[in-house]
Amino acid sequence: MKFKFWGVRGSIPSPGPRTVRYGGNTTCIEVRSDDDTLIVLDAGTGIFPLAQELMQRGAVEANIFISHSHWDHIHGLPFFSPLFVPGNRVRLHGAHDPVSGHGIEHVMGVQLQNSYFPVSEAEMDAAIEYHTLQVGVPHRVGDATVHNALMNHPVSDLGYRVECNGKSLFFTGDHEPHYNIYPEGDARHAAFGQLIEQRERDSDAVMRGVDALIVDCSYTRDEYPAKRGWGHGTFDSAFALARRSGAKRLYCTHHEPTRGDDELEAAFAAALAQQGPLPPGLQVFLAYEGLEVEL
């Protein structure tokens, strides 16, 4: 199994001379199982260059797993060129939206409204299927199994574990460390604390022992207090996840869009220095567009 980063920025695309080395596209990761089944994690603007490469290979059968429906994780989807080609098959997987009451089909439906996009789904010639996932229920795709866990974000956000023949990766999507929103003394504090503990146990179980852990590392420890509640993690919280899960490799992604490449490297180096000794065998990487990893 192998995977490749096509987009590593968070919140908004950030192209330009300051982001050339790491890239300015938003989240998209291509995963290939041992039998070459195509799994795509999120459909940020990085899915557009992925589509251009796929179109050169012939017929496309793609399984796209959406972590959540915020724009930076879906706004490349209408520009996924294989959707317009007869004979291609695209399956879109993701969570139920408790606010709208809709399944994953709402992601495409909202984007393709005439007010926002000039082409309707009826004009897309590929076979399009929708599969709304149940939290905690694994899904088989080719020779791979995709597990999911509910992460911490202002909307429903699924983290995905992809397993194939003894190798595995886990992608958090957007994830903020859990914290109790109620102060001590509030009647709701204890119950909410128990909920947090249960959700952490559930997500930790899904990511335990992975070969590769791909984590939202938007902020430094100094930046985080002003961003609390926005639904994003820090370098520190990513290291904590890697330690708890026993991951072999940690890939830091969802880079803050205002950071140029030099600033990103400096923030990463400072975070590493603050960590002290790493667990034996843990390797840590700063994700960039084009980085390909074979497990």
Side-chain angles (χ1 to χ4, degrees):
M1 185 166 68
K2 60 185 179 182
F3 61 94
K4 182 176 181 179
F5 291 95
W6 289 90
V8 297
R9 294 282 167 177
S11 302
I12 191 170
S14 52
R18 297 176 65 247
T19 60
V20 170
R21 294 199 303 278
Y22 289 87
N25 282 306
T26 59
T27 303
C28 181
I29 304 167
E30 174 190 9
V31 182
R32 291 281 181 173
S33 71
D34 290 350
D35 73 355
D36 206 36
T37 294
L38 172 59
I39 297 169
V40 181
L41 302 175
D42 274 345
T45 56
I47 204 171
F48 179 73
L50 168 60
Q52 307 316 298
E53 181 172 296
L54 293 176
M55 293 289 285
Q56 299 177 26
R57 303 181 187 177
V60 175
E61 184 167 341
N63 297 275
I64 302 174
F65 284 78
I66 301 296
S67 64
H68 67 294
S69 58
H70 282 163
W71 284 118
D72 55 323
H73 295 259
I74 65 170
H75 56 188
L77 190 58
F79 300 92
F80 187 60
S81 307
L83 288 168
F84 297 88
V85 179
N88 289 340
R89 182 175 298 275
V90 178
R91 301 182 183 92
L92 196 65
H93 310 259
H96 172 264
D97 178 15
V99 176
S100 69
H102 296 148
I104 191 59
E105 72 282 350
H106 83 283
V107 167
M108 189 81 87
V110 168
Q111 288 184 291
L112 298 184
Q113 293 180 48
N114 184 255
S115 298
Y116 307 116
F117 197 73
V119 181
S120 70
E121 185 175 334
E123 298 173 82
M124 295 179 172
D125 292 322
I128 305 173
E129 302 173 13
Y130 299 99
H131 184 199
T132 299
L133 302 169
Q134 296 182 39
V135 175
V137 177
H139 183 65
R140 189 75 175 175
V141 182
D143 63 341
T145 301
V146 182
H147 303 260
N148 71 72
L150 192 62
M151 309 305 290
N152 188 38
H153 201 56
V155 297
S156 294
D157 183 302
L158 294 181
Y160 293 113
R161 178 183 182 126
V162 184
E163 291 183 330
C164 181
N165 296 324
K167 297 296 183 180
S168 58
L169 67 86
F170 186 91
F171 166 61
T172 64
D174 288 359
H175 175 65
E176 180 174 11
H178 291 279
Y179 64 93
N180 202 316
I181 62 175
Y182 301 109
E184 291 187 21
D186 190 297
R188 297 163 290 184
H189 180 85
F192 195 78
Q194 293 175 354
L195 174 63
I196 287 174
E197 291 175 1
Q198 183 60 56
R199 286 185 59 179
E200 283 186 340
R201 284 195 295 269
D202 291 344
S203 59
D204 283 0
V206 178
M207 67 181 78
R208 186 165 296 125
V210 291
D211 296 288
L213 181 61
I214 305 168
V215 183
D216 171 2
C217 299
S218 295
Y219 306 127
T220 66
R221 65 173 60 169
D222 293 331
E223 294 167 340
Y224 176 67
K227 315 290 187 180
R228 192 177 187 189
W230 289 19
H232 297 292
T234 65
F235 289 106
D236 286 346
S237 61
F239 279 99
L241 280 179
R243 287 186 167 95
R244 292 208 312 266
S245 67
K248 297 178 179 65
R249 303 175 187 174
L250 170 63
Y251 294 88
C252 299
T253 190
H254 205 273
H255 306 319
E256 161 62 38
T258 61
R259 267 195 257 282
D261 293 330
D262 292 342
E263 296 163 312
L264 179 60
E265 289 177 347
F268 179 61
L272 277 173
Q274 292 166 342
Q275 290 299 312
L278 299 178
L282 175 62
Q283 298 176 285
V284 184
F285 304 90
L286 197 55
Y288 60 87
E289 286 183 28
L291 174 59
E292 189 167 2
V293 180
E294 185 165 354
L295 299 176

